[in-house]
Amino acid sequence: MLYRFAKAGSDADLATDKQAVAAAVPAGAVGDGQSYLTAKQQAIGNAKAFVPFLIAFGILGLVLSVLIIAIVVSGAVASQIRRIAILKALGFTPSQVARAYTAQAMIPATLGVVLGTIFGNLAAGPILNGASKQLGAANATIPLWVSVVVSLGTLLIVGVTASIPALRAGRMPAVQALVVGRAPKAGHGQVAQRLASRLPLPRAMSLGLVQPFARPARAALVGVAVLLGTVSVTFAAGLGTAFSKYQDTTMSSGFNAASQIVIPTADVGVPWGQYGPDDPHHPYLDVPKVAAVLAKVPGTKAAFGWGESGATMIGAPIGGESPVLYSVSGDFSWTNMELLSGRWYSAPGEVVVGDKLASAVGIHVGDNFIVVQQNKQLSLKVVGISFDTHGTDYSAMTDAATFTDAGLAPHIDQFNVELASNVNGTDWSTSAAAALTPLNASVQSNSDGGKNLVVITMDALVAMFTLVLTVVAALGVLSMVVQDTRERVHDMGIFKALGMTPKQTIAMVLTSVTLTGLIGVPIGVAVERATLSPMGHAIGRHLPPNVTHVYTAGLLLPLLAAGVVIALLGALLPAGWAARSRTATALRTE
């Protein structure tokens, strides 16, 4: 019976509805029920898998964008403190100064917002329409409210960011601003300077190390930019590695693991695989004889037989899809299928259930369920939950002896064969074919090693977002270091007059940003782990440890250097400019 309820948005709602139906009919009339939410999950699972990491990258990109706006606008205002002091000396009030410089920042910001909104909509249109066409849906466009909110939000950020340093400069006494100019406050960084001078480092590098302490607020902005860039790279590296592990786990383990496969020789005009498991004309393999032949063929390392048992699980189907119980003959351990909990079956009547089936019907290790084959009921005990992505979404597997002990056929229609590493597949196939032909069996290479399209798409998106965020972070560092280097041009002139070489100048500037790049890795690891689990849940999967734990020492060590590299990329250009500046020009009175 199919029911449509007025309130059915969650599992709890449907449980209540089911109880109401059971109460309204004779006792025992309701045996079980399946939720439409399971079918919905199956239909939109792959699309929902994209959502968590798109949100994570979106938040990182948004924060970096706000940070860049803050860096550029506040830097533009702070670099003109001396001019602001002159305006105050001429009679400008603090509020007038703030309004003037806020308006000055809003002019290019407005132009950027208009152009960004136009180009964003033009670029998104073909992509959205292409995706809609592939899905057979109507053309999609960016809603108008998105463009409006983004535009107004950006202008608000620019206005607030510009007004804060402008008000601070406006409240500064004119005489102090004219005398101090761009120099940092007295006393900033002196303790750090004394400590750094004792380090066994070249003097140019120790000067660079203490530079952030002279302007802590500016150093904090650079640090946040590098931090977010490092978090993005660490997050992306972990996510990309997890995708690769997932690909390997789904495409080369379990029932997909094989160098060669052995299948029944097809009847003339009827390709193998066209019969259902219960079809009397379905060709099955003679398991004992095929296994014996394979064991004798030189180069065979391991083999197991398997097939759809044809048994029906009580309570099926799930969301319109019937669970599949596979019967397995032989050693299955070499396939490296991941076990999420429990153990592998070791006796007839024991079964290992795929994680998606277990989640859909609430099966746990230790439970029992009934299957029916040829009007015989078999009670199977669940001893393990596996990460199985072969064929159907809802599957379980048991030893073929479960059926033979009950007087039933195990239905084995394929053997997966693993060859020794030094064996040529073509030569092995030739040898095996001669022995298998009398058994109505044939050999073919395993071609089920293709790439998962969803994983490929995710990899491409991760690479693109990582590149964009890394460039944005480096640009943030560039802006701050350019500003800082220009403000310290007089100091650099003094250093050069005292004998500092261009190489030492570059070393000093680059060293000033290196420490900020070392703290983003642990945050990136946390973001990756917080994102990966929801992605698995979105497709109804509990991901195995080899997918969720990807940060090894070999991966973390290069990532620790990623923040330093991002910082150096942003600082390299102004460092070169500082090294090329002439001493006389730098010392000239401002």
Side-chain angles (χ1 to χ4, degrees):
M1 297 295 297
L2 304 181
Y3 288 87
R4 185 180 182 94
F5 299 106
K7 188 177 180 181
S10 66
D11 289 329
D13 292 337
L14 289 168
T16 302
D17 296 331
K18 181 180 174 182
Q19 291 173 0
V21 172
V25 298
V30 175
D32 203 350
Q34 291 295 334
S35 165
Y36 80 97
L37 293 175
T38 304
K40 179 181 177 182
Q41 170 70 37
Q42 183 181 351
I44 65 175
N46 285 340
K48 289 180 66 177
F50 285 87
V51 175
F53 86 90
L54 287 176
I55 290 176
F57 272 117
I59 292 174
L60 287 171
L62 181 62
V63 175
L64 267 174
S65 299
V66 173
L67 182 66
I68 294 302
I69 292 172
I71 289 174
V72 173
V73 176
S74 62
V77 175
S79 65
Q80 300 194 43
I81 289 179
R82 191 175 185 87
R83 185 169 183 269
I84 291 173
I86 295 174
L87 294 177
K88 289 195 67 178
L90 295 175
F92 276 67
T93 65
S95 61
Q96 287 176 324
V97 170
R99 288 199 301 269
Y101 276 88
T102 301
Q104 182 178 327
M106 295 298 286
I107 294 173
T110 302
L111 179 62
V113 165
V114 172
L115 293 178
T117 303
I118 293 174
F119 288 136
N121 280 274
L122 291 177
I127 297 175
L128 292 175
N129 291 337
S132 299
K133 184 177 180 181
Q134 291 295 324
L135 295 172
N139 286 345
T141 58
I142 296 179
L144 179 61
W145 69 266
V146 173
S147 299
V148 173
V149 170
V150 171
S151 301
L152 295 179
T154 304
L155 292 176
L156 178 63
I157 293 169
V158 173
V160 172
T161 306
S163 62
I164 293 174
L167 279 172
R168 187 173 62 247
R171 287 194 299 267
M172 182 183 294
V175 174
Q176 179 185 351
L178 285 169
V179 173
V180 177
R182 300 170 185 172
K185 292 182 180 180
H188 276 197
Q190 289 185 358
V191 175
Q193 185 69 261
R194 287 195 295 269
L195 294 175
S197 64
R198 300 173 186 174
L199 297 174
L201 294 173
R203 189 58 180 144
M205 295 184 68
S206 65
L207 287 171
L209 284 175
V210 300
Q211 180 57 33
F213 297 95
R215 294 186 181 275
R218 186 171 300 168
L221 285 177
V222 175
V224 173
V226 177
L227 171 69
L228 292 175
T230 309
V231 168
S232 302
V233 172
T234 305
F235 168 54
L239 206 57
T241 304
F243 288 163
S244 178
K245 294 285 188 181
Y246 180 86
Q247 182 86 347
D248 293 341
T249 301
T250 56
M251 294 298 176
S252 60
S253 66
F255 293 127
N256 292 322
S259 304
Q260 304 284 329
I261 62 175
V262 176
I263 59 176
T265 302
D267 292 341
V268 177
V270 183
W272 176 78
Q274 295 299 307
Y275 294 111
D278 293 322
D279 194 313
H281 301 290
H282 189 125
Y284 292 107
L285 296 172
D286 188 327
V287 176
K289 292 182 179 179
V290 171
V293 166
L294 293 176
K296 294 178 181 178
V297 177
T300 300
K301 182 179 179 181
F304 72 91
W306 63 282
E308 293 187 23
S309 65
T312 302
M313 178 178 174
I314 298 296
I318 300 174
E321 181 174 346
S322 299
V324 174
L325 177 63
Y326 293 106
S327 54
V328 182
S329 175
D331 180 18
F332 189 76
S333 62
W334 60 271
T335 66
N336 299 317
M337 180 182 284
E338 293 289 334
L339 200 62
L340 299 177
S341 62
R343 59 175 176 82
W344 288 106
Y345 56 79
S346 59
E350 295 182 343
V351 64
V352 171
V353 178
D355 67 300
K356 199 162 186 179
L357 173 59
S359 298
V361 260
I363 293 177
H364 303 89
V365 173
D367 292 345
N368 290 274
F369 63 84
I370 305 295
V371 297
V372 178
Q373 185 186 29
Q374 296 179 8
N375 296 324
K376 283 190 176 181
Q377 291 191 358
L378 302 177
S379 177
L380 303 181
K381 181 178 181 179
V382 179
V383 296
I385 307 296
S386 68
F387 183 70
D388 178 22
T389 58
H390 173 83
T392 178
D393 282 331
Y394 306 104
S395 64
M397 55 189 297
T398 185
D399 194 292
T402 297
F403 297 97
T404 55
D405 287 2
L408 299 170
H411 291 181
I412 303 297
D413 54 17
Q414 178 172 323
F415 267 81
N416 287 30
V417 184
E418 179 71 5
L419 304 183
S421 58
N422 59 344
V423 176
N424 180 276
T426 303
D427 295 340
W428 184 92
S429 297
T430 302
S431 302
L436 291 171
T437 299
L439 301 178
N440 197 33
S442 58
V443 181
Q444 65 181 35
S445 296
N446 181 27
S447 58
D448 194 10
K451 297 295 184 180
N452 187 308
L453 182 59
V454 173
V455 175
I456 294 174
T457 305
M458 288 182 175
D459 280 333
L461 287 173
V462 167
M464 180 184 69
F465 287 137
T466 305
L467 177 62
V468 170
L469 293 180
T470 302
V471 171
V472 171
L475 287 175
V477 177
L478 171 64
S479 177
M480 291 301 294
V481 177
V482 165
Q483 178 185 336
D484 188 67
T485 303
R486 288 188 178 277
E487 292 184 5
R488 299 182 63 233
V489 64
H490 193 271
D491 293 344
M492 291 183 181
I494 295 175
F495 290 144
K496 287 195 170 189
L498 295 175
M500 181 177 283
T501 65
K503 289 183 179 179
Q504 289 174 321
T505 304
I506 293 175
M508 179 181 68
V509 175
L510 295 183
T511 306
S512 68
V513 298
T514 53
L515 289 179
T516 58
L518 297 177
I519 59 176
V521 171
I523 300 178
V525 172
V527 173
E528 186 268 347
R529 290 186 174 174
T531 304
L532 198 60
S533 293
M535 291 180 67
H537 294 156
I539 58 175
R541 296 285 185 190
H542 295 87
L543 301 177
N546 72 321
V547 175
T548 56
H549 297 81
V550 297
Y551 288 105
T552 61
L555 181 60
L556 286 175
L557 289 177
L559 290 175
L560 285 172
V564 178
V565 171
I566 292 172
L568 294 181
L569 285 175
L572 195 58
L573 188 62
W577 172 80
R580 290 191 299 270
S581 64
R582 299 174 60 184
T583 304
T585 303
L587 290 172
R588 187 173 298 149
T589 303
E590 297 178 349

